[in-house]
Amino acid sequence: MIDAISFSDGKFRYLDQRYLPLQELHVETRDHQEAIEAIKTLAVRGAPLIGASAAYTVILGINEFKGTKEEFPAWFAKLIADVEASRPTAVNLFFATKKIKSVYEANFTQDTLEELFAKMTAEACKIHKDEIDNCDRISRNGVELLKRDFADVLKTRKLNVLTHCNTGTLACCGTGTALGVIRLAWQEGLIERVISSESRPLLQGLRLTAWELEHDGIPFVSISDSSSAFIMHQGKIDFAVVGADRITANGDTANKIGTYAHAVSARHHGIPFYIAAPVSTIDITLSDGSLIPIEERSADELRTIFGTQVATPTTPVLNYAFDVTPGTLIRGIITEKEAVVGNYNESLARICNE
Ligand code: MRU
C-alpha cells in the first residue's frame, strides 16, 4: 500500500500529492509551519488524511516548544489555532485537534511536559491508525449494502460505478472510503468498471484516483466532470459512491466541488448515490449543510492550468473547493459502524452517540 503519511523519530513524512502521478516526491519535516503549508497547498489532502496530518502537525509544534510549563498553554492555544486555520471544510481536521486538546486538558495539571507530550503523540498515532482501520470496516459495510441493493442485477452481471475526486489511500490513510468500497467490491467480483471523474481544477480524480486504480489493476475510465449526466443517460453507470468532507446531522454532505451535480444527475436517472465516510467526518453539531464553511481557493487555480496561464490575469473567478449535496439525494451513508439508509437525523445521531 502507498505510504501517504507517516510519523517517526519526531519527523512527519508525506508523499507530496501535487506532483503525482508524474513524480513520487517524499518529503520529511520537523517544522510544524511546513506541515501546515503542506495541508494548505494540498500536498497532503483528503478529509481523513488531513485529520491525521493535522494531529502530527500539532506534535511537530509541541516538539518545537522551548519554554516553561507556565508558558505552554498560550503557546499551545496559538499552535492549535494555526493548525485549525489551514483548511476550513473537512471536519476531520477539527476532530483531530479536539482529540489532542482533550488529552492536554485531562493531563496538563499533573503531568510533566515530557509525560504530556508522550500522551499527545500517542493520541496522534491512534487517530492515524483508527482511520486506517475505519477504511476496512467502511469497505465491508459498503459491499454488504451494495449486495442488498443490487441483489437482482448481480445475478446476471457486474456493476459500473461512478466516483469523484480521490478517496483512496492518498486521501484516507487506509484502503480508502469510497475507493475502499470499490476496491473490495471489485475483489469480490461485483464491479465491471469504474468511471472516475477528473475533479477540476486540481484533478484529484484524473491524477490520483486513476493512479491508484491503475496500480491495483482495476478496470476504469476517466471522464471530464461535465460528462457524467450523458454517461448516466447511456445506461453506463449503475451507482455512484463518493467520499465526504463534512456530513451534517440531516445527512447533507460537503464533498469536492462537482459532487452535487453528479448527485442531481443520478437522481434524474434513478441511479443510487452513496456516501462513504468515517464517523470522524460527521459534524452532528450542524443541523444542515447551509452551515458548513465552504473553502474558496485562489482565482489562479482556475485561471492557470498547472502553471500555464489560460485566462487573462484579471478574469473574475469564483473557485469553491467543495459543494453540498442534500441528504435527500443520498441513498445511503456508509460508515465504519454501519451503513445507514434514509432518516439521517435519527441514524446519524445514534451512531455518533454510540
Ligand atoms: O480538496 P481535497 O482534495 O482535500 O478534497 C478531497 C475530497 O473532497 C474527498 O472527496 C473527501 O475528502 C473525501 S476523502 C475520503
Side-chain angles (χ1 to χ4, degrees), residues 18-290:
R18 292 171 300 176
Y19 300 99
L20 289 173
L22 304 181
Q23 201 187 338
E24 281 182 49
L25 181 68
H26 292 269
V27 180
E28 62 177 35
T29 183
R30 291 180 186 276
D31 181 340
H32 82 278
Q33 293 292 0
E34 261 180 51
I36 288 176
E37 208 48 32
I39 296 172
K40 280 186 181 167
T41 57
L42 275 67
V44 291
R45 46 146 301 278
L49 197 93
I50 290 173
S53 301
Y56 288 139
T57 303
V58 173
I59 303 310
L60 295 182
I62 60 174
N63 288 343
E64 288 166 36
F65 179 68
K66 299 274 184 291
T68 63
K69 189 168 176 186
E70 290 65 40
E71 288 165 342
F72 183 70
W75 164 275
F76 183 63
K78 160 99 173 58
L79 170 65
I80 293 286
D82 288 350
V83 173
E84 289 185 342
S86 57
R87 290 195 78 190
T89 304
V91 78
N92 307 62
L93 188 152
F94 304 90
F95 173 89
T97 51
K98 193 171 158 197
K99 287 236 163 205
I100 305 226
K101 272 191 288 187
S102 307
V103 173
Y104 160 76
E105 280 154 15
N107 298 286
F108 178 73
T109 315
Q110 69 274 19
D111 278 3
T112 64
L113 283 184
E114 199 181 334
E115 289 164 342
L116 179 66
F117 291 0
K119 286 179 187 167
M120 290 160 101
T121 305
E123 184 65 21
C125 295
K126 183 171 181 315
I127 290 167
H128 185 186
K129 181 176 180 315
D130 284 351
E131 292 298 11
I132 295 173
D133 296 344
N134 288 340
C135 290
D136 295 336
R137 297 198 190 96
I138 290 168
S139 305
R140 172 54 48 209
N141 290 339
V143 167
E144 294 312 317
L145 180 59
L146 291 175
K147 283 181 178 167
R148 282 204 302 279
D149 280 2
F150 289 95
D152 284 342
V153 183
L154 285 166
K155 282 179 194 154
T156 55
R157 64 172 179 85
K158 298 180 183 184
L159 306 171
N160 294 288
V161 52
L162 171 73
T163 193
H164 187 58
C165 195
N166 172 264
T167 60
T169 305
L170 292 167
C172 303
C173 314
T175 58
T177 52
L179 207 54
V181 174
I182 291 170
R183 279 191 159 112
L184 187 63
W186 180 74
Q187 283 162 18
E188 298 205 357
L190 273 55
I191 299 295
E192 179 74 38
R193 185 169 73 161
V194 182
I195 292 123
S196 165
S197 52
E198 61 172 346
S199 319
R200 280 279 293 148
L202 297 181
L203 306 182
Q204 291 92 330
L206 186 69
R207 295 186 302 111
L208 308 177
T209 299
W211 189 64
E212 289 199 43
L213 289 168
E214 204 160 49
H215 179 270
D216 283 14
I218 301 177
F220 76 97
V221 63
S222 286
I223 61 166
S224 60
D225 296 330
S226 46
S227 46
S228 68
F230 183 55
I231 295 169
M232 287 178 192
H233 175 73
Q234 292 176 323
K236 292 179 178 166
I237 295 173
D238 295 296
F239 75 98
V241 61
V242 302
D245 288 83
R246 196 182 294 228
I247 301 169
T248 59
N250 67 345
D252 291 354
T253 296
N255 191 50
K256 179 53 54 198
I257 191 78
T259 302
Y260 180 30
H262 289 328
V264 170
S265 299
R267 171 58 57 90
H268 180 76
H269 294 93
I271 292 168
F273 194 91
Y274 302 92
I275 300 291
V279 173
S280 57
T281 306
I282 302 171
D283 185 351
I284 210 71
T285 68
L286 300 185
S287 57
D288 67 75
S290 67

